[in-house]
Amino acid sequence: MESEMLQSPLLGLGEEEEADLTDWNLPLAFMKKRHCEKIEGSKSLAQSWRMKDRMKTVSVALVLCLNVGVDPPDVVKTTPCARLECWIARYKQSLDPTVDEVKKLCTSLRRNAKEERVLFHYNGHGVPRPTVNGEIWVFNKNYTQYIPLSIYDLQTWMGSPSIFVYDCSNAGLIVKSFKQFALQREQELEVAAINPNHPLAQMPLPPSMKNCIQLAACEANELLPMIPDLPADLFTSCLTTPIKIALRWIPGRLNDRRTPLGELNWIFTAITDTIAWNVLPRDLFQKLFRQDLLVASLFRNFLLAERIMRSYNCTPVSSPRLPPTYMHAMWQAWDLAVDICLSQLPTIIEEGTAFRHSPFFAEQLTAFQVWLTMGVENRNPPEQLPIVLQALSVGIFPYVLKLLQSSARELRPLLVFIWAKILAVDSELVVALSHLVVQYESNFCTVALQFMEEEKNYPLPSPATTEGGSLTPVRDSPCTPRLRSVSSYGNIRAVTTARNLNKSLQNLSLTEETGSSVAFSPGNLSTSSSASSTLGSPENEEYILSFETVDKMRRVSSYSALNALIGVSFNSVYTQIWRVLLHLAADPYPDVSDLAMKVLNSIAYKATVNARPQRILTTSSLTQSAPASPTNKGIHIHQAGGSPPASSTSSSSLTNDVAKQPVGRDLPAGRPSAAGPAGVQYTPHSQQFPRTRKMFDKGPDQTTDDADEAAGHRSFVSATTQTGFCDWSARYFAQPVMKIPEEHDLESQIRKEREWRFLRNSRVRQQARQLIQKGITRLDDQIFLNRNPGVPSVVKFHPFTPCVAVADKDSICFWDWEKGEKLDYFHNGNPRYTRVTAMEYLNGQDCSLLLTATDDGAIRVWKNFADLEKNPEMVTAWQGLSDMLPTTRGAGMVVDWEQETGLLMSSGDVRIVRIWDTDREMKVQDIPTGADSCVTSLSCDSHRSLIVAGLGDGSIRVYDRRMALSECRVMTYREHTAWVVKAYLQKHPEGHIVSVSVNGDVRFFDPRMPESVNILQIVKGLTALDIHPQANLIACGSMNQFTAIYSGTGGLINNIKYYDGFMGQRVGAISCLAFHPHWPHLAVGSNDYYISVYSVEKRAR
């Protein structure tokens, strides 16, 4: 089960005094299985517990050749001899028959049974033994002669599938002859198939006997036992009445488990099933014990017959042949259960005491629990598995319903988890449960709804926090699952009332959830013409909704035309679905946008199937404008994925020829090439970045051949969009629950690697602290210099490795500042007209991820960067901010990350500060800034719940996110008169706010005081600035091509104007800079493409 927070180690660190245990207690963002694994189902073949081609034995022929009073000539019977025979049967009997009577009976049964199985039971106690020529014996009409009956003829009459039981001496001879005749038939069939002119081909084809089963009482050279205390038909008695023949007499009824006989019958069934499960090959077990109820019963009883008859020197024979089972250890459990039952008989009969039930099933469940708890990973299946399944199958559905209705709520999470595991391993159980739907549907649904509404640990999300309307349980602890909103169902056919569906879609806010690889994962979005598009009856106001309904909006580009065509309001369910699809198609995560695009392309084709074909949709088309609606206002899309504001072209279209950018390492030093085949490369977000988007677009003028376009559309006629999300989700419940997670195993590789990383972190902190404590007199020793592929716009040190990330407009480059090597370079995936404006390392203390924010409001999270063995991979992406406002000088998107809480603060060219919870993957708060200018800098302190924002108008605003939105702005400082370059909130209880404007005035504020407590003046004309969190340093970059480093008291430490070297040139205009979180290192990027890193003097290091 996924761990939200890994616990601190107790032993094994080796240097406990050096290890900072806070690293162990920090939560990890975007490191759950859905982020780390490929979303696909298990590739291992699931083992089926039930046969798909189930059969039924519909007819039984009892052929009894007894001729009572006359013994056959070839068998000398003892005196006294076994004489008891079974005379009572509920099946059709044929007593002492002739050949014709047997033929008539068999052909009649086969005709009535059609393709089902027929049973032929032969009792030959009153006729001679079978012959080596493959014959059994019957009588003539006058019972004066024994007449041979060929097994070959019997095969012809019985056909296939059939089962044959032979209760006579030397019965094994019949089995051998049967196999020889069956092989002969197969050869005849092959000859007739190869040579149509062969005489065999002109005759009726003989039936194949492959699917036939045989049970014989003894081997070919054995006689049946004649002990008078036994029934003469001992083999038949074992097959038909096993408990009675095992115990001869015991009170009770077989079908009543409360009686001794009934309980022994259940135990016997469980034990014989278990023996067969452990001894037989799986396919043979399925065929004999799971395909046909009567066959399963016969073979369970055959195991008893083998055990009993072997004690009388008889060896029962079967075809297919079974391995010996008479010595299996489970028979001892049967003997014990019988002894416990029989020991109670005297008191039950004589004194009338109550029957004490056997502890058999409880003991076997205990053994199964021991296997689960103590067993090793590579182990054989438990012997008790069939017993456990039988114990669960007895009244399990009503029993679970009663448990859910009970007041013991602690059982509910466990029941849900158990059933999820059963369904994950055995998906066919859904079909098996289908017959119970009508019986239990209303009660079960009522209980489930009541349970979810009452249980506080299982909140039902409101439409505003639901991303697709479907709920999937995600376990956050071993005991308590909670419902997480995701857009995924095996087949999206939403059944809901019209008004509730419409309301949910109107309130749908995709900004509530991140668009990770599972954020939009429709299991089967069918857009084929066969999908349902009908409306439910008016009485129940029910829709069976599919995307076919969107076809009603074909050739519609305005509000009035929509009303004229389908007569619904613009906020109808149809338009809401279309709007949601548009948002999803503009999602920054490629898999999400591609899935939605496939649906939109299919709809676009159907909408124009009778008109001139339009070009296939691309992501870029979804953000451009269309002819105005009658309100003369663009239709703004305010959900997440809505395009940020930007100038748009007057001529809109459904397509754009801008190719999507690949993610890769081998990009040229200049901008990545935009050329590439359509459909192969991708850009996850909208291509044109306009400020508004119209709902419907007529499409562009056609510039390509219509025939080519029509051919392209044909691929979408029956498009079916599928993902492996449901199968992947089921994989979780198919995993062993008793296995210790690898991250908690003290000896695992993952654990050792984490210990090493945390020790490294502790050393970095300690060494950096010692270096800072020595005092910093200069910070101008250039320890790294290299030319970046693009003009640096954002620079970010990794907190613990010698790696610095440098973002240019749309790509990320990673440098090793110790070795001077380029580690990686890849495209961020944002459109070419947008730029990266912020970066943060997530989980920097452990398995690091890189978060990038662009000025279109999109957030992307990357893994495997700077990894020589793996390519960079996008973990998740979502629209962090929508409706970015146009400004003459935009701040883009600014963020601040709190590893301790997993909260991400985001703002920029908007009027809000939006807080994202990366653990729940949803928006938790929108705080209005209360200003008309953009936010240029963010800083937060989780311990005080304070957020500080610096704005473009020079104001510094402090927010307490614990308070109501109307009261959360607790302080506003207006002492700066120009753009705030940096606003920093010191991370300790008495920490001050440090803010700097482009004019170089540095002000210190106590959040409790209305005015600044200190003012410093540094150089003017700032383009970049950063404050070291540990060393009390301020570094600023100027448009005048130099970097200045100041102490916290305002004293100038040094200026940096030239690159080191004999021909050291003047540095370019500073575009970005950043301090290392721990070391006294400063990274500086300039407009001349160079990135440099400076540190304290070498002798100080």
Side-chain angles (χ1 to χ4, degrees), residues 668-686:
R671 295 279 47 79
S673 171
V680 177
Q681 298 174 332
Y682 65 85
T683 297
H685 194 42
S686 54

Side-chain angles (χ1 to χ4, degrees), residues 473-491:
V474 177
R475 295 193 63 84
D476 293 317
S477 67
C479 298
T480 307
R482 76 165 186 265
L483 295 174
R484 186 186 302 285
S485 170
V486 296
S487 292
S488 176
Y489 255 91
N491 187 351

Side-chain angles (χ1 to χ4, degrees), residues 751-799:
R751 180 75 173 202
K752 296 297 184 183
E753 291 175 355
R754 301 190 79 232
E755 290 178 357
W756 178 87
R757 283 193 293 268
F758 294 165
L759 283 172
R760 173 206 63 190
N761 300 350
S762 179
R763 295 190 187 102
V764 168
R765 292 189 186 100
Q766 183 185 29
Q767 294 170 9
R769 189 184 311 115
Q770 292 173 352
L771 183 58
I772 292 173
Q773 289 173 353
K774 292 179 180 180
I776 299 174
T777 57
R778 296 190 64 84
L779 200 153
D780 58 356
D781 184 17
Q782 180 179 291
I783 61 175
F784 171 81
L785 176 66
N786 222 313
R787 182 179 174 87
N788 200 61
V791 176
S793 60
V794 185
V795 61
K796 194 75 174 180
F797 276 107
H798 189 281

Side-chain angles (χ1 to χ4, degrees), residues 770-1002:
Q770 292 173 352
L771 183 58
I772 292 173
Q773 289 173 353
K774 292 179 180 180
I776 299 174
T777 57
R778 296 190 64 84
L779 200 153
D780 58 356
D781 184 17
Q782 180 179 291
I783 61 175
F784 171 81
L785 176 66
N786 222 313
R787 182 179 174 87
N788 200 61
V791 176
S793 60
V794 185
V795 61
K796 194 75 174 180
F797 276 107
H798 189 281
F800 300 108
T801 65
C803 175
V804 60
V806 183
D808 50 50
K809 183 182 178 184
D810 53 12
S811 299
I812 315 294
C813 189
F814 291 88
W815 297 92
D816 186 324
W817 50 264
E818 281 188 348
K819 298 180 180 180
E821 299 175 353
K822 183 168 71 171
L823 301 175
D824 212 339
Y825 182 51
F826 63 90
H827 188 249
N828 184 53
N830 51 295
R832 62 183 180 183
Y833 46 84
T834 62
R835 60 190 175 93
V836 178
T837 58
M839 289 193 300
E840 290 285 351
Y841 280 104
L842 313 183
N843 314 328
Q845 82 286 357
D846 201 345
C847 299
S848 301
L849 304 175
L850 181 72
L851 179 145
T852 64
T854 51
D855 60 356
D856 60 351
I859 297 173
R860 296 169 177 83
V861 179
W862 296 89
K863 68 178 180 180
N864 301 338
F865 51 84
D867 190 325
L868 299 179
E869 298 179 356
K870 301 177 181 178
N871 288 325
E873 184 178 344
M874 188 183 293
V875 177
T876 184
W878 73 98
Q879 198 67 25
L881 295 172
S882 55
D883 300 323
M884 299 281 277
L885 301 175
T887 59
T888 55
R889 181 189 175 188
M893 187 177 186
V894 295
V895 298
D896 192 36
W897 165 247
E898 273 190 347
Q899 187 71 48
E900 297 83 359
T901 60
L903 297 180
L904 178 69
M905 320 295 167
S906 60
S907 190
D909 298 331
V910 290
R911 301 293 182 262
I912 59 172
V913 176
R914 177 164 291 172
I915 304 176
W916 293 93
D917 186 337
T918 59
D919 173 42
R920 292 184 290 169
E921 299 187 21
M922 62 186 300
K923 181 192 73 177
V924 293
Q925 201 169 7
D926 273 350
I927 299 176
T929 61
D932 292 331
S933 61
C934 61
V935 175
T936 62
S937 179
L938 279 177
S939 184
C940 58
D941 184 355
S942 60
H943 296 290
R944 292 182 285 176
S945 299
L946 295 181
I947 301 175
V948 174
L951 281 77
D953 61 1
S955 63
I956 303 295
R957 300 176 183 240
V958 184
Y959 307 92
D960 188 334
R961 56 187 179 86
R962 297 169 296 184
M963 302 179 67
L965 294 181
S966 59
E967 303 172 352
C968 63
R969 179 155 56 97
V970 294
M971 196 68 71
T972 302
Y973 303 104
R974 304 183 184 273
E975 299 184 17
H976 294 294
T977 58
W979 183 284
V980 176
V981 181
K982 182 75 173 181
Y984 174 68
L985 178 59
Q986 295 173 340
K987 303 292 195 298
H988 53 83
E990 302 298 327
H992 289 171
I993 300 169
V994 184
S995 63
V996 188
S997 75
V998 295
N999 291 335
D1001 54 325
V1002 182

